[in-house]
């Protein structure tokens, strides 16, 4: 699960499992909107003009849903355990949180319950991670993080 980087660091990049990127999602939305509005205009041309407002409502609601989905399609969590330091970066929507501290100040807590997230606990802060990892392998990730954090805690900088 972990990926080794240079200078003896370990990195975990946890992402959503999305089948469509935001660009592909926009392309599909454009195609669906064009098709729906095109069909409604054909019906309006033969006298059923009331189809057009419903098609506009449909496209608007679909656009809002696609926007909400697309906003979170690129969400990720990045954890780097480097020589003497720990970095936890979380991107959710337009918000990017980045915490970098000395390794000895962090520990990993995980209760093992399916709905609980892994907690990276530092001085005065608790960072939940693992939201994009299936609950069946969260305990394995917690073990890997504990091992990596312990190893970096004793590395002299």
């Amino acid at each position: 699960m972990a990926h080794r980087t240079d200078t003896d660091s370990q990195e975990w990049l946890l992402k959503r499992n999305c089948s469509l990127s935001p660009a592909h999602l926009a392309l599909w939305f454009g195609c669906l909107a064009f098709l729906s509005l095109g069909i409604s205009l054909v019906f309006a041309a033969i006298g059923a003009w009331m189809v057009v407002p419903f098609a506009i409502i449909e496209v608007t609601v679909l656009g809002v849903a696609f926007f909400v989905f697309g906003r979170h399609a690129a969400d990720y969590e990045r954890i780097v355990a480097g020589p003497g330091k720990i970095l936890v970066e979380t991107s959710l929507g337009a918000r990017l949180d980045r915490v970098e501290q000395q390794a000895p100040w962090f520990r990993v807590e995980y209760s093992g319950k399916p709905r609980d997230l892994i907690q990276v606990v530092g001085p005065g802060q608790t960072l939940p991670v693992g939201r994009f990892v299936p609950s069946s392998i969260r305990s394995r990730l917690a073990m890997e993080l504990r091992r990596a954090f312990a190893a970096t805690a004793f590395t002299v900088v």
Side-chain angles (χ1 to χ4, degrees):
M1 192 179 287
H3 171 350
R4 283 214 182 267
T5 61
D6 57 347
T7 68
D8 294 325
S9 295
Q10 280 188 303
E11 179 176 348
W12 293 264
L13 184 59
L14 313 171
K15 298 168 104 180
R16 291 185 185 274
N17 186 12
C18 292
S19 58
L20 290 176
S21 69
H24 286 117
L25 190 66
L27 179 66
W28 274 105
F29 172 71
C31 291
L32 288 173
F34 180 76
L35 182 66
S36 182
L37 293 174
I39 291 171
S40 72
L41 290 176
V42 169
F43 275 97
I46 61 173
W49 61 270
M50 280 302 292
V51 175
V52 175
F54 287 101
I56 291 171
I57 292 170
E58 172 195 16
V59 168
T60 303
V61 170
L62 190 62
V64 168
F66 276 18
F67 176 76
V68 169
F69 174 81
R71 212 179 144 167
H72 292 284
D75 289 354
Y76 69 91
E77 295 171 331
R78 183 172 160 247
I79 305 162
V80 180
K85 290 193 178 197
I86 303 294
L87 166 72
V88 178
E89 189 176 87
T90 305
S91 173
L92 299 172
R95 182 178 175 166
L96 178 66
D97 294 325
R98 182 182 167 111
V99 176
E100 186 172 355
Q101 293 286 343
Q102 297 295 323
W105 297 343
F106 277 99
R107 69 181 186 283
V108 177
E109 295 179 357
Y110 180 59
S111 69
K113 296 178 183 172
R115 292 188 180 224
D116 287 350
L117 294 177
I118 299 166
Q119 304 293 324
V120 177
V121 182
Q125 59 191 346
T126 300
L127 308 167
V129 296
R131 64 181 48 83
F132 307 125
V133 176
S135 58
S136 60
I137 59 173
R138 261 189 214 141
S139 59
R140 188 174 115 200
L141 174 62
M143 245 185 340
E144 284 184 20
L145 290 173
R146 281 186 190 113
R147 216 174 296 130
F149 284 21
T152 60
F154 298 109
T155 304
V156 178
V157 180

